[in-house]
Amino acid sequence: MLYREALNKAIDESMAADNSVVILGEDVGRYGGSYRVSEGLFSKYGEKRVIDTPIAELSIVGNAIGMAIAGLRPIAEIMTANFSLLAMDQIINHASKFRYMSGGKMTIPLTIRMPGGVSRQLAAQHSENYETLYSSVPGLIVLAASNATYAYYGLKSAIFMNDPVVFLEHELLYPMDMEFKEIKNFDPFKAEVVKEGKDLTIITYLKMRYDVLEAQKALQKAGIDAEIIDLNSLRPIDIETIAKSIKKTKKCVIVEEDHKTGGMGAEIAAQIMENCFYDLDAPVLRIAGEDVPIPYNRKLELLSIPTPEKIVKKILKWKAENGI
């Protein structure tokens, strides 16, 4: 199943099951969405439930919050995470706080979908990762879908939560054909052990999952049997699954596309220090994007983010430096 088809299926089934579910955003209606995620929904559910909006992200999220307060379950689509900066006041200062400021009398069952990450030569203003910004905000749930199975089950779960969810996607994943697994008793906050191993735990999420899987082939040839964990949920983080793996492997590497300074890996590493310090045989290694705005030039763009080759090189260097 294509990644975008899994997202479409989740929205379609949710809208069919509950008339309060609506979707709004730029080009989500007649055009079917910038990445074809809402394709076919306009003709099926009509303009009152599949709503084309002006190019105004603050308005999209603000209107969605109003819908949620009034009893609907809106899905607000932001064309890219980069444009979500224009809606930050509504997301952070309103959606995340209303439940608390109303003493629990008001809930905001709102899902804000947005793709982010480095695609291919879209340059600095269209290539950022902002998961760290949203994951640092109390009152928000942040989920990150790296595969068709989680895209489907995770998005359906998000739509029917009673608190605001930032649902992160990656632009390069939409056309990817992926295995789809039927899951009973799905837990959106549970990390996935993608591959079991005994020598090293690698924690990752979103598109980096595939770079890590490619890298592990070379690591295997070098005699390193890596366990790979895909976080799925960035707020909250499933530290229990991480701790269980580190207790076995004694070593941990975090791979993220985000910038290193203040990136998601810093928070993950901090939680590992708090929970797993005495199980570690070496300092946690963070492999992340460089601390630069993403360049347009393709060679520079690839130099600014982790690639399978870089992941292998950095792990082997870290292993040698720490005598492990």
Side-chain angles (χ1 to χ4, degrees):
M1 180 182 292
L2 298 182
Y3 179 80
R4 61 175 170 77
E5 289 176 342
L7 293 165
N8 179 281
K9 179 178 169 67
I11 298 170
D12 188 8
E13 290 181 5
S14 299
M15 294 185 77
D18 188 335
N19 288 333
S20 72
V21 179
V22 300
I23 181 169
L24 67 160
E26 299 164 27
D27 293 329
V28 301
R30 291 174 175 83
Y31 188 68
S34 300
Y35 300 98
R36 300 175 62 188
V37 170
S38 55
E39 196 170 61
L41 300 179
F42 183 83
S43 59
K44 194 169 183 180
Y45 298 104
E47 62 183 4
K48 290 187 178 180
R49 295 185 65 196
V50 184
I51 305 164
D52 279 322
T53 67
I55 303 173
E57 287 74 15
L58 185 73
S59 169
I60 293 169
V61 178
N63 278 299
I65 291 170
M67 292 175 176
I69 292 171
L72 298 179
R73 290 190 176 276
I75 305 163
E77 179 178 300
I78 304 295
M79 195 177 288
T80 110
N82 303 273
F83 301 163
S84 74
L85 297 178
L86 294 161
M88 290 288 270
D89 180 60
Q90 288 295 331
I91 297 171
I92 294 176
N93 215 22
H94 298 268
S96 71
K97 295 176 179 172
F98 279 172
R99 176 192 279 276
Y100 299 88
M101 294 182 71
S102 67
K105 294 176 182 174
M106 192 185 294
T107 58
I108 308 295
L110 163 66
T111 303
I112 306 170
R113 291 182 40 245
M114 60 179 81
V118 177
S119 182
R120 189 179 177 88
Q121 292 189 277
L122 295 181
Q125 293 172 320
H126 294 73
S127 303
E128 287 292 345
N129 293 276
Y130 287 127
E131 56 267 31
T132 306
L133 292 181
Y134 295 115
S135 297
S136 67
V137 178
L140 292 180
I141 294 165
V142 181
L143 305 179
S146 66
N147 60 89
T149 303
Y150 191 86
Y152 170 73
Y153 286 104
L155 182 54
K156 283 190 82 171
S157 299
I159 291 168
F160 291 103
M161 289 180 190
N162 288 326
D163 287 301
V165 179
V166 174
F167 194 86
L168 298 171
E169 300 157 14
H170 195 290
E171 294 175 13
L172 288 180
L173 300 181
Y174 290 116
M176 283 180 64
D177 197 359
M178 303 169 174
E179 180 186 9
F180 182 82
K181 299 176 184 174
E182 299 284 344
I183 297 179
K184 292 182 179 177
N185 303 318
F186 175 77
D187 180 355
F189 303 118
K190 187 75 176 172
E192 176 190 359
V193 179
V194 180
K195 175 193 168 296
E196 292 191 357
K198 60 180 176 57
D199 298 328
L200 168 68
T201 298
I202 303 179
I203 300 167
T204 192
Y205 58 93
L206 284 173
K207 188 256 181 183
M208 283 294 111
R209 169 184 175 128
Y210 301 96
D211 293 75
V212 168
L213 283 169
E214 188 62 30
Q216 71 89 23
K217 296 175 186 173
L219 293 173
Q220 196 84 41
K221 289 180 182 174
I224 301 171
D225 183 14
E227 180 149 302
I228 300 171
I229 295 176
D230 186 335
L231 286 177
N232 290 332
S233 172
L234 303 184
R235 185 185 177 92
I237 291 172
D238 178 9
I239 192 67
E240 187 179 336
T241 297
I242 293 171
K244 185 179 176 184
S245 178
I246 290 176
K247 197 172 186 62
K248 175 173 62 173
T249 66
K250 312 293 184 189
K251 296 170 279 293
C252 183
V253 175
I254 302 165
V255 181
E256 59 179 326
E257 194 177 81
D258 195 6
H259 305 298
K260 186 171 185 178
T261 301
M264 197 68 218
E267 173 59 26
I268 299 165
Q271 292 198 26
I272 290 170
M273 289 299 107
E274 291 172 344
N275 292 276
C276 313
F277 182 80
Y278 293 106
D279 288 323
L280 287 168
D281 283 346
V284 173
L285 172 65
R286 286 191 289 151
I287 301 175
E290 302 296 331
D291 286 329
V292 295
I294 305 300
Y296 173 78
N297 177 282
R298 183 59 177 163
K299 289 183 180 176
L300 294 177
E301 185 181 58
L302 288 174
L303 285 172
S304 75
I305 56 173
T307 60
E309 296 75 19
K310 271 198 259 184
I311 293 167
V312 172
K313 189 176 177 182
K314 290 195 174 189
I315 288 177
L316 293 179
K317 181 172 180 282
W318 165 79
K319 189 169 177 293
E321 287 174 348
N322 288 281
I324 51 178

